[in-house]
Amino acid sequence: MTAREEIFALREELNAHNYNYYVLSAPTISDREFDEKMRRLQELEAAHPECFDPASPSQRVGSDLGSEGFRQVLHARPMLSLANTYSRSEVEDFYRRVEQGLNGEPFEICCELKFDGLSISLIYEEGRLVRAVTRGDGVRGDDVTANVRTIRSIPLTLRGEGWPEDFEIRGEVLMPWASFERLNAEREANEEPLFANPRNAASGTLKLLSPTEVARRQLDAYLYYLLADELPTDGHFENLQAARQWGFKVSDAMRKCGSLEEVMAFINYWDTERKNLPVATDGVVLKVNSVRQQEQLGYTAKVPRWAIAYKFKAEQALTRLSSVTYQVGRMGTVTPVANFDAVPLSGTIVRRATLHNDDFVQALDLHIGDMVYVEKGGEIIPKITAVDVDSRGMMLGDKVRMVARCPECGTPLVRYEGEAAWYCPNDAGCPPQLKGRIEHFVSRKAMNIDGLGGETVDLLWSAGLVHDAADLYQLRAIDVSRLPRMGQKSALNIVHGIEASKSVPFERVLFAIGIRFVGETVAKTLAQAFRNMDAVAAARLDELTAVPEIGEKIAQSVIRFFNDDRNRTFVERLREAGLQFAMSEEADDAPASDALKGKSIIISGVFQHHSRDEYKALIERHGGTNVSSISSKTSFVLAGENMGPAKREKAESLGVPLVNEQQFLQMIGEG
Ligand code: IVH
């Protein structure tokens, strides 16, 4: 077998395994075997760039998008939403209107689940995914193709036969409960704001500029609407069954109903049964099945007359508030948490709910022992929505009041002007804050120290081996190996991981040191603007706020951090340990050539070999200027895949040439 043949065979095989795993949920090989085959394919593709194919299963994770974000694309057919109702009698009205509209002609209603994610439009040409666009305002949306490619249940190339040459298929991108819970647990550990529900999480994820991160978050997608000039059949249900054969994930919970009674039975069944699904649903959608009849019924100004969404009521449970405890985060925020008698709610047993802050608690007028309504309604983190005041007996429990002192270290709490939260100000001595900051420092997005998780940090802390993150760099394998349940090998692993973290780039060091309000993105922005730690530490308020995206709140926080002697000492110890305190020189390099001297260049589309940011840097290093809007003075457009039609037309009309990625790389001698 030639390499080319092997590449093709592996692609086909991996596509089949992806389909078995993500669409059918019935894998036939182990993850390890899959990874081995994927690695082999990647090796072969790297050695044979002439076989490159953006639809290869190896291309599910592409390069990062530029900071400009997503291109706006016009929908070929506007993406309408549906008329909504919470009332069964309005469902009956809908049914009667359809009967009348079709002048008594027999019809069927296709009943489906209403998935609670965000709608997506996928465009296929000749059996290949060419574009994925969010709903946006219904007329134009964001081109999120690079991110959607990472969703394993969406086929990049179609299976089977009979698909129209060009078609659109619409559906819902979802974050399954399991991925959602994992993501929020991670965010909680990092004290990042939690997503309120899987829908927000899915939409936040799809708008990320890093497909790698999107891939990690494990989105899924169900497809529910096929559009083409020539559809396989007149039946909506039948068309979706065909789409399933082509590799799309189509819900099994679809029924064609011939009477209102059957429709109501479908609604009743799923009102309870949906709690057992792996994804969030918020109702059912009823559609006239015949496409011809759909056309006959037509549309109002905003919604189709041939469909309606019936929404389920948010699920609630009534339970008894047993206690309120207080959690102290790494930044010292003290959050009240309600603990109540365990109750089942939307498929899980809930025992706790965040009470956010004191304002929230006071607004509820909570007393211990109160019967409280807990709600999920698409929100996985349960919320206490109300107190059942009528069930209060003669004996009213203690009123819930914010504690005055830190539950962990006893320090009186403080509240800052304009903030709802209470803080423990003892940042130098309060154990969960100190430990939390070390955990943050070693976490994946910060220094990413292999083998060091919350548990090990806890052990190191309890053994008195580390008091802050700088102590990590003094650790010897022999000390670590004496910890309970720690083998020599893991100890060595940890020490190596710590050593390796010395080459983690400056922007992540800046994130890791834990300045309040300086998250991953802000750290990157500051690092790019000031280039090194000393410049950040010395920056004045006006210099900080002059940086785009940096407001007064962040600026003040940076200044406060570096004004504190303890923080300065901590940072100095990290410098001595040898961490990266400046941006790598690569980006500042003297011009690599003057191949692009005097040229002003626009970057558009998605690229295979470098990210857009890398192309920007390359343009500058070769003497060119990257510009953002096209004019007759523009020298050329560096055009990637999926370049917007509007930009393309504009370039053509101004006579600005398009240069593709390969040609560009040749121009700068990287071809
Ligand atoms: S059909 C013209 N089917 O609900 C009909 N939509 O409020 C287009 N949705 O924007 C939509 N599950 O995001 C349809 N089985 C389903 C759906 C569904 C969820 C969403 C979709 C749409 C919104 C309508």
PDB file of all heavy atoms in Angstrom, residues 28-57:
ATOM      1  N   THR A  28     -16.502   0.641  18.452  1.00  0.00           N
ATOM      2  CA  THR A  28     -16.101  -0.746  18.201  1.00  0.00           C
ATOM      3  C   THR A  28     -14.604  -0.935  18.410  1.00  0.00           C
ATOM      4  O   THR A  28     -14.098  -2.034  18.250  1.00  0.00           O
ATOM      5  CB  THR A  28     -16.466  -1.176  16.766  1.00  0.00           C
ATOM      6  OG1 THR A  28     -15.867  -0.223  15.873  1.00  0.00           O
ATOM      7  CG2 THR A  28     -17.968  -1.198  16.551  1.00  0.00           C
ATOM      8  N   ILE A  29     -13.871   0.140  18.721  1.00  0.00           N
ATOM      9  CA  ILE A  29     -12.465  -0.049  19.099  1.00  0.00           C
ATOM     10  C   ILE A  29     -12.190   0.776  20.350  1.00  0.00           C
ATOM     11  O   ILE A  29     -12.972   1.655  20.710  1.00  0.00           O
ATOM     12  CB  ILE A  29     -11.456   0.386  17.991  1.00  0.00           C
ATOM     13  CG1 ILE A  29     -11.620   1.866  17.643  1.00  0.00           C
ATOM     14  CG2 ILE A  29     -11.579  -0.486  16.770  1.00  0.00           C
ATOM     15  CD1 ILE A  29     -10.451   2.399  16.807  1.00  0.00           C
ATOM     16  N   SER A  30     -11.055   0.484  20.986  1.00  0.00           N
ATOM     17  CA  SER A  30     -10.733   1.213  22.222  1.00  0.00           C
ATOM     18  C   SER A  30     -10.224   2.608  21.869  1.00  0.00           C
ATOM     19  O   SER A  30      -9.766   2.856  20.752  1.00  0.00           O
ATOM     20  CB  SER A  30      -9.660   0.469  23.000  1.00  0.00           C
ATOM     21  OG  SER A  30      -8.429   0.558  22.302  1.00  0.00           O
ATOM     22  N   ASP A  31     -10.294   3.522  22.846  1.00  0.00           N
ATOM     23  CA  ASP A  31      -9.804   4.890  22.633  1.00  0.00           C
ATOM     24  C   ASP A  31      -8.336   4.850  22.226  1.00  0.00           C
ATOM     25  O   ASP A  31      -7.875   5.632  21.412  1.00  0.00           O
ATOM     26  CB  ASP A  31      -9.925   5.707  23.925  1.00  0.00           C
ATOM     27  CG  ASP A  31     -11.380   5.990  24.270  1.00  0.00           C
ATOM     28  OD1 ASP A  31     -12.251   5.557  23.483  1.00  0.00           O
ATOM     29  OD2 ASP A  31     -11.620   6.608  25.321  1.00  0.00           O
ATOM     30  N   ARG A  32      -7.628   3.904  22.854  1.00  0.00           N
ATOM     31  CA  ARG A  32      -6.202   3.848  22.596  1.00  0.00           C
ATOM     32  C   ARG A  32      -5.908   3.477  21.140  1.00  0.00           C
ATOM     33  O   ARG A  32      -5.075   4.103  20.477  1.00  0.00           O
ATOM     34  CB  ARG A  32      -5.602   2.821  23.537  1.00  0.00           C
ATOM     35  CG  ARG A  32      -4.141   2.911  23.512  1.00  0.00           C
ATOM     36  CD  ARG A  32      -3.545   2.135  24.604  1.00  0.00           C
ATOM     37  NE  ARG A  32      -2.264   1.673  24.095  1.00  0.00           N
ATOM     38  CZ  ARG A  32      -1.532   0.834  24.739  1.00  0.00           C
ATOM     39  NH1 ARG A  32      -1.958   0.347  25.870  1.00  0.00           N
ATOM     40  NH2 ARG A  32      -0.384   0.470  24.239  1.00  0.00           N
ATOM     41  N   GLU A  33      -6.633   2.455  20.658  1.00  0.00           N
ATOM     42  CA  GLU A  33      -6.440   2.073  19.254  1.00  0.00           C
ATOM     43  C   GLU A  33      -6.770   3.243  18.333  1.00  0.00           C
ATOM     44  O   GLU A  33      -6.084   3.495  17.346  1.00  0.00           O
ATOM     45  CB  GLU A  33      -7.334   0.883  18.900  1.00  0.00           C
ATOM     46  CG  GLU A  33      -6.830  -0.442  19.425  1.00  0.00           C
ATOM     47  CD  GLU A  33      -7.883  -1.527  19.256  1.00  0.00           C
ATOM     48  OE1 GLU A  33      -8.877  -1.507  20.023  1.00  0.00           O
ATOM     49  OE2 GLU A  33      -7.727  -2.339  18.342  1.00  0.00           O
ATOM     50  N   PHE A  34      -7.834   3.951  18.692  1.00  0.00           N
ATOM     51  CA  PHE A  34      -8.235   5.109  17.882  1.00  0.00           C
ATOM     52  C   PHE A  34      -7.097   6.132  17.849  1.00  0.00           C
ATOM     53  O   PHE A  34      -6.693   6.608  16.790  1.00  0.00           O
ATOM     54  CB  PHE A  34      -9.496   5.750  18.482  1.00  0.00           C
ATOM     55  CG  PHE A  34     -10.013   6.921  17.690  1.00  0.00           C
ATOM     56  CD1 PHE A  34     -10.951   6.734  16.686  1.00  0.00           C
ATOM     57  CD2 PHE A  34      -9.548   8.201  17.940  1.00  0.00           C
ATOM     58  CE1 PHE A  34     -11.421   7.808  15.945  1.00  0.00           C
ATOM     59  CE2 PHE A  34     -10.007   9.287  17.200  1.00  0.00           C
ATOM     60  CZ  PHE A  34     -10.946   9.086  16.204  1.00  0.00           C
ATOM     61  N   ASP A  35      -6.571   6.431  19.046  1.00  0.00           N
ATOM     62  CA  ASP A  35      -5.492   7.430  19.115  1.00  0.00           C
ATOM     63  C   ASP A  35      -4.282   7.003  18.297  1.00  0.00           C
ATOM     64  O   ASP A  35      -3.641   7.816  17.639  1.00  0.00           O
ATOM     65  CB  ASP A  35      -5.066   7.649  20.574  1.00  0.00           C
ATOM     66  CG  ASP A  35      -6.168   8.335  21.367  1.00  0.00           C
ATOM     67  OD1 ASP A  35      -7.073   8.916  20.733  1.00  0.00           O
ATOM     68  OD2 ASP A  35      -6.132   8.267  22.608  1.00  0.00           O
ATOM     69  N   GLU A  36      -3.977   5.690  18.345  1.00  0.00           N
ATOM     70  CA  GLU A  36      -2.825   5.207  17.583  1.00  0.00           C
ATOM     71  C   GLU A  36      -3.032   5.417  16.086  1.00  0.00           C
ATOM     72  O   GLU A  36      -2.145   5.862  15.372  1.00  0.00           O
ATOM     73  CB  GLU A  36      -2.582   3.723  17.868  1.00  0.00           C
ATOM     74  CG  GLU A  36      -1.718   3.548  19.105  1.00  0.00           C
ATOM     75  CD  GLU A  36      -1.760   2.138  19.667  1.00  0.00           C
ATOM     76  OE1 GLU A  36      -2.209   1.216  18.939  1.00  0.00           O
ATOM     77  OE2 GLU A  36      -1.353   1.981  20.834  1.00  0.00           O
ATOM     78  N   LYS A  37      -4.247   5.089  15.629  1.00  0.00           N
ATOM     79  CA  LYS A  37      -4.526   5.255  14.200  1.00  0.00           C
ATOM     80  C   LYS A  37      -4.461   6.739  13.819  1.00  0.00           C
ATOM     81  O   LYS A  37      -3.971   7.106  12.763  1.00  0.00           O
ATOM     82  CB  LYS A  37      -5.906   4.685  13.851  1.00  0.00           C
ATOM     83  CG  LYS A  37      -5.915   3.157  13.852  1.00  0.00           C
ATOM     84  CD  LYS A  37      -7.288   2.627  13.496  1.00  0.00           C
ATOM     85  CE  LYS A  37      -7.450   1.163  13.881  1.00  0.00           C
ATOM     86  NZ  LYS A  37      -6.612   0.268  13.057  1.00  0.00           N
ATOM     87  N   MET A  38      -4.983   7.573  14.702  1.00  0.00           N
ATOM     88  CA  MET A  38      -4.968   9.011  14.420  1.00  0.00           C
ATOM     89  C   MET A  38      -3.531   9.508  14.343  1.00  0.00           C
ATOM     90  O   MET A  38      -3.173  10.288  13.468  1.00  0.00           O
ATOM     91  CB  MET A  38      -5.748   9.756  15.509  1.00  0.00           C
ATOM     92  CG  MET A  38      -5.833  11.240  15.304  1.00  0.00           C
ATOM     93  SD  MET A  38      -6.690  11.702  13.792  1.00  0.00           S
ATOM     94  CE  MET A  38      -8.377  11.735  14.394  1.00  0.00           C
ATOM     95  N   ARG A  39      -2.716   9.041  15.267  1.00  0.00           N
ATOM     96  CA  ARG A  39      -1.323   9.479  15.258  1.00  0.00           C
ATOM     97  C   ARG A  39      -0.646   9.067  13.950  1.00  0.00           C
ATOM     98  O   ARG A  39       0.070   9.843  13.330  1.00  0.00           O
ATOM     99  CB  ARG A  39      -0.586   8.882  16.467  1.00  0.00           C
ATOM    100  CG  ARG A  39       0.510   9.792  16.950  1.00  0.00           C
ATOM    101  CD  ARG A  39       0.988   9.434  18.344  1.00  0.00           C
ATOM    102  NE  ARG A  39      -0.076   9.441  19.326  1.00  0.00           N
ATOM    103  CZ  ARG A  39      -0.308   8.433  20.179  1.00  0.00           C
ATOM    104  NH1 ARG A  39       0.431   7.339  20.137  1.00  0.00           N
ATOM    105  NH2 ARG A  39      -1.280   8.519  21.050  1.00  0.00           N
ATOM    106  N   ARG A  40      -0.931   7.836  13.538  1.00  0.00           N
ATOM    107  CA  ARG A  40      -0.351   7.341  12.286  1.00  0.00           C
ATOM    108  C   ARG A  40      -0.793   8.234  11.110  1.00  0.00           C
ATOM    109  O   ARG A  40       0.018   8.624  10.276  1.00  0.00           O
ATOM    110  CB  ARG A  40      -0.806   5.887  12.064  1.00  0.00           C
ATOM    111  CG  ARG A  40      -0.434   5.285  10.743  1.00  0.00           C
ATOM    112  CD  ARG A  40       1.032   4.890  10.697  1.00  0.00           C
ATOM    113  NE  ARG A  40       1.402   4.416   9.366  1.00  0.00           N
ATOM    114  CZ  ARG A  40       2.579   4.638   8.807  1.00  0.00           C
ATOM    115  NH1 ARG A  40       3.518   5.306   9.467  1.00  0.00           N
ATOM    116  NH2 ARG A  40       2.837   4.192   7.602  1.00  0.00           N
ATOM    117  N   LEU A  41      -2.071   8.573  11.094  1.00  0.00           N
ATOM    118  CA  LEU A  41      -2.580   9.419  10.004  1.00  0.00           C
ATOM    119  C   LEU A  41      -1.880  10.783  10.029  1.00  0.00           C
ATOM    120  O   LEU A  41      -1.444  11.303   8.997  1.00  0.00           O
ATOM    121  CB  LEU A  41      -4.101   9.597  10.137  1.00  0.00           C
ATOM    122  CG  LEU A  41      -4.740  10.572   9.140  1.00  0.00           C
ATOM    123  CD1 LEU A  41      -4.545  10.095   7.701  1.00  0.00           C
ATOM    124  CD2 LEU A  41      -6.238  10.749   9.415  1.00  0.00           C
ATOM    125  N   GLN A  42      -1.727  11.333  11.225  1.00  0.00           N
ATOM    126  CA  GLN A  42      -1.085  12.649  11.323  1.00  0.00           C
ATOM    127  C   GLN A  42       0.355  12.603  10.827  1.00  0.00           C
ATOM    128  O   GLN A  42       0.808  13.503  10.125  1.00  0.00           O
ATOM    129  CB  GLN A  42      -1.141  13.154  12.767  1.00  0.00           C
ATOM    130  CG  GLN A  42      -2.526  13.682  13.121  1.00  0.00           C
ATOM    131  CD  GLN A  42      -2.738  13.889  14.614  1.00  0.00           C
ATOM    132  OE1 GLN A  42      -2.027  13.315  15.441  1.00  0.00           O
ATOM    133  NE2 GLN A  42      -3.722  14.685  14.969  1.00  0.00           N
ATOM    134  N   GLU A  43       1.049  11.500  11.175  1.00  0.00           N
ATOM    135  CA  GLU A  43       2.436  11.352  10.711  1.00  0.00           C
ATOM    136  C   GLU A  43       2.487  11.329   9.186  1.00  0.00           C
ATOM    137  O   GLU A  43       3.267  12.033   8.555  1.00  0.00           O
ATOM    138  CB  GLU A  43       2.985  10.001  11.184  1.00  0.00           C
ATOM    139  CG  GLU A  43       3.643  10.028  12.540  1.00  0.00           C
ATOM    140  CD  GLU A  43       3.888   8.594  13.024  1.00  0.00           C
ATOM    141  OE1 GLU A  43       4.034   7.661  12.172  1.00  0.00           O
ATOM    142  OE2 GLU A  43       3.896   8.428  14.235  1.00  0.00           O
ATOM    143  N   LEU A  44       1.613  10.490   8.631  1.00  0.00           N
ATOM    144  CA  LEU A  44       1.617  10.343   7.176  1.00  0.00           C
ATOM    145  C   LEU A  44       1.260  11.659   6.493  1.00  0.00           C
ATOM    146  O   LEU A  44       1.867  12.050   5.502  1.00  0.00           O
ATOM    147  CB  LEU A  44       0.620   9.259   6.750  1.00  0.00           C
ATOM    148  CG  LEU A  44       1.058   7.822   7.030  1.00  0.00           C
ATOM    149  CD1 LEU A  44      -0.109   6.869   6.838  1.00  0.00           C
ATOM    150  CD2 LEU A  44       2.204   7.430   6.106  1.00  0.00           C
ATOM    151  N   GLU A  45       0.270  12.354   7.061  1.00  0.00           N
ATOM    152  CA  GLU A  45      -0.139  13.615   6.434  1.00  0.00           C
ATOM    153  C   GLU A  45       0.976  14.660   6.522  1.00  0.00           C
ATOM    154  O   GLU A  45       1.168  15.450   5.601  1.00  0.00           O
ATOM    155  CB  GLU A  45      -1.423  14.149   7.090  1.00  0.00           C
ATOM    156  CG  GLU A  45      -2.642  13.345   6.671  1.00  0.00           C
ATOM    157  CD  GLU A  45      -3.945  13.828   7.309  1.00  0.00           C
ATOM    158  OE1 GLU A  45      -3.882  14.515   8.348  1.00  0.00           O
ATOM    159  OE2 GLU A  45      -5.000  13.519   6.763  1.00  0.00           O
ATOM    160  N   ALA A  46       1.706  14.632   7.640  1.00  0.00           N
ATOM    161  CA  ALA A  46       2.801  15.592   7.782  1.00  0.00           C
ATOM    162  C   ALA A  46       3.882  15.307   6.748  1.00  0.00           C
ATOM    163  O   ALA A  46       4.489  16.218   6.185  1.00  0.00           O
ATOM    164  CB  ALA A  46       3.364  15.522   9.194  1.00  0.00           C
ATOM    165  N   ALA A  47       4.101  14.016   6.478  1.00  0.00           N
ATOM    166  CA  ALA A  47       5.145  13.642   5.518  1.00  0.00           C
ATOM    167  C   ALA A  47       4.680  13.831   4.077  1.00  0.00           C
ATOM    168  O   ALA A  47       5.489  13.861   3.154  1.00  0.00           O
ATOM    169  CB  ALA A  47       5.571  12.200   5.762  1.00  0.00           C
ATOM    170  N   HIS A  48       3.357  13.920   3.890  1.00  0.00           N
ATOM    171  CA  HIS A  48       2.829  14.050   2.521  1.00  0.00           C
ATOM    172  C   HIS A  48       1.857  15.212   2.425  1.00  0.00           C
ATOM    173  O   HIS A  48       0.650  15.024   2.290  1.00  0.00           O
ATOM    174  CB  HIS A  48       2.140  12.740   2.098  1.00  0.00           C
ATOM    175  CG  HIS A  48       3.083  11.600   2.053  1.00  0.00           C
ATOM    176  ND1 HIS A  48       3.831  11.301   0.942  1.00  0.00           N
ATOM    177  CD2 HIS A  48       3.452  10.713   3.010  1.00  0.00           C
ATOM    178  CE1 HIS A  48       4.617  10.262   1.217  1.00  0.00           C
ATOM    179  NE2 HIS A  48       4.403   9.886   2.467  1.00  0.00           N
ATOM    180  N   PRO A  49       2.399  16.422   2.474  1.00  0.00           N
ATOM    181  CA  PRO A  49       1.520  17.603   2.465  1.00  0.00           C
ATOM    182  C   PRO A  49       0.661  17.680   1.204  1.00  0.00           C
ATOM    183  O   PRO A  49      -0.379  18.331   1.215  1.00  0.00           O
ATOM    184  CB  PRO A  49       2.492  18.785   2.547  1.00  0.00           C
ATOM    185  CG  PRO A  49       3.843  18.235   2.282  1.00  0.00           C
ATOM    186  CD  PRO A  49       3.818  16.787   2.579  1.00  0.00           C
ATOM    187  N   GLU A  50       1.057  16.986   0.155  1.00  0.00           N
ATOM    188  CA  GLU A  50       0.255  17.023  -1.085  1.00  0.00           C
ATOM    189  C   GLU A  50      -1.083  16.314  -0.883  1.00  0.00           C
ATOM    190  O   GLU A  50      -2.020  16.505  -1.665  1.00  0.00           O
ATOM    191  CB  GLU A  50       1.037  16.429  -2.276  1.00  0.00           C
ATOM    192  CG  GLU A  50       1.214  14.903  -2.257  1.00  0.00           C
ATOM    193  CD  GLU A  50       2.337  14.434  -1.312  1.00  0.00           C
ATOM    194  OE1 GLU A  50       2.912  15.273  -0.592  1.00  0.00           O
ATOM    195  OE2 GLU A  50       2.621  13.213  -1.297  1.00  0.00           O
ATOM    196  N   CYS A  51      -1.184  15.513   0.180  1.00  0.00           N
ATOM    197  CA  CYS A  51      -2.458  14.818   0.442  1.00  0.00           C
ATOM    198  C   CYS A  51      -3.347  15.606   1.400  1.00  0.00           C
ATOM    199  O   CYS A  51      -4.357  15.101   1.879  1.00  0.00           O
ATOM    200  CB  CYS A  51      -2.209  13.437   1.048  1.00  0.00           C
ATOM    201  SG  CYS A  51      -1.352  12.343  -0.059  1.00  0.00           S
ATOM    202  N   PHE A  52      -2.957  16.840   1.697  1.00  0.00           N
ATOM    203  CA  PHE A  52      -3.728  17.621   2.668  1.00  0.00           C
ATOM    204  C   PHE A  52      -5.204  17.726   2.269  1.00  0.00           C
ATOM    205  O   PHE A  52      -5.532  17.915   1.108  1.00  0.00           O
ATOM    206  CB  PHE A  52      -3.148  19.039   2.786  1.00  0.00           C
ATOM    207  CG  PHE A  52      -3.975  19.902   3.689  1.00  0.00           C
ATOM    208  CD1 PHE A  52      -3.834  19.807   5.058  1.00  0.00           C
ATOM    209  CD2 PHE A  52      -4.953  20.748   3.165  1.00  0.00           C
ATOM    210  CE1 PHE A  52      -4.621  20.566   5.895  1.00  0.00           C
ATOM    211  CE2 PHE A  52      -5.748  21.509   3.998  1.00  0.00           C
ATOM    212  CZ  PHE A  52      -5.578  21.418   5.371  1.00  0.00           C
ATOM    213  N   ASP A  53      -6.077  17.569   3.258  1.00  0.00           N
ATOM    214  CA  ASP A  53      -7.510  17.715   2.989  1.00  0.00           C
ATOM    215  C   ASP A  53      -8.158  18.311   4.237  1.00  0.00           C
ATOM    216  O   ASP A  53      -8.066  17.735   5.324  1.00  0.00           O
ATOM    217  CB  ASP A  53      -8.103  16.325   2.708  1.00  0.00           C
ATOM    218  CG  ASP A  53      -9.596  16.415   2.386  1.00  0.00           C
ATOM    219  OD1 ASP A  53     -10.201  17.483   2.614  1.00  0.00           O
ATOM    220  OD2 ASP A  53     -10.142  15.399   1.922  1.00  0.00           O
ATOM    221  N   PRO A  54      -8.803  19.489   4.097  1.00  0.00           N
ATOM    222  CA  PRO A  54      -9.404  20.092   5.296  1.00  0.00           C
ATOM    223  C   PRO A  54     -10.503  19.226   5.902  1.00  0.00           C
ATOM    224  O   PRO A  54     -10.879  19.412   7.052  1.00  0.00           O
ATOM    225  CB  PRO A  54      -9.974  21.428   4.788  1.00  0.00           C
ATOM    226  CG  PRO A  54     -10.077  21.278   3.315  1.00  0.00           C
ATOM    227  CD  PRO A  54      -9.003  20.316   2.897  1.00  0.00           C
ATOM    228  N   ALA A  55     -11.013  18.254   5.131  1.00  0.00           N
ATOM    229  CA  ALA A  55     -12.072  17.391   5.669  1.00  0.00           C
ATOM    230  C   ALA A  55     -11.506  16.116   6.291  1.00  0.00           C
ATOM    231  O   ALA A  55     -12.262  15.233   6.687  1.00  0.00           O
ATOM    232  CB  ALA A  55     -13.063  17.046   4.568  1.00  0.00           C
ATOM    233  N   SER A  56     -10.193  16.018   6.391  1.00  0.00           N
ATOM    234  CA  SER A  56      -9.617  14.822   7.025  1.00  0.00           C
ATOM    235  C   SER A  56      -9.982  14.809   8.507  1.00  0.00           C
ATOM    236  O   SER A  56     -10.034  15.867   9.144  1.00  0.00           O
ATOM    237  CB  SER A  56      -8.093  14.863   6.871  1.00  0.00           C
ATOM    238  OG  SER A  56      -7.502  13.946   7.765  1.00  0.00           O
ATOM    239  N   PRO A  57     -10.217  13.616   9.076  1.00  0.00           N
ATOM    240  CA  PRO A  57     -10.543  13.573  10.509  1.00  0.00           C
ATOM    241  C   PRO A  57      -9.426  14.139  11.386  1.00  0.00           C
ATOM    242  O   PRO A  57      -9.665  14.487  12.534  1.00  0.00           O
ATOM    243  CB  PRO A  57     -10.766  12.082  10.789  1.00  0.00           C
ATOM    244  CG  PRO A  57     -10.242  11.348   9.619  1.00  0.00           C
ATOM    245  CD  PRO A  57     -10.261  12.292   8.448  1.00  0.00           C
TER     246      PRO A  57
END
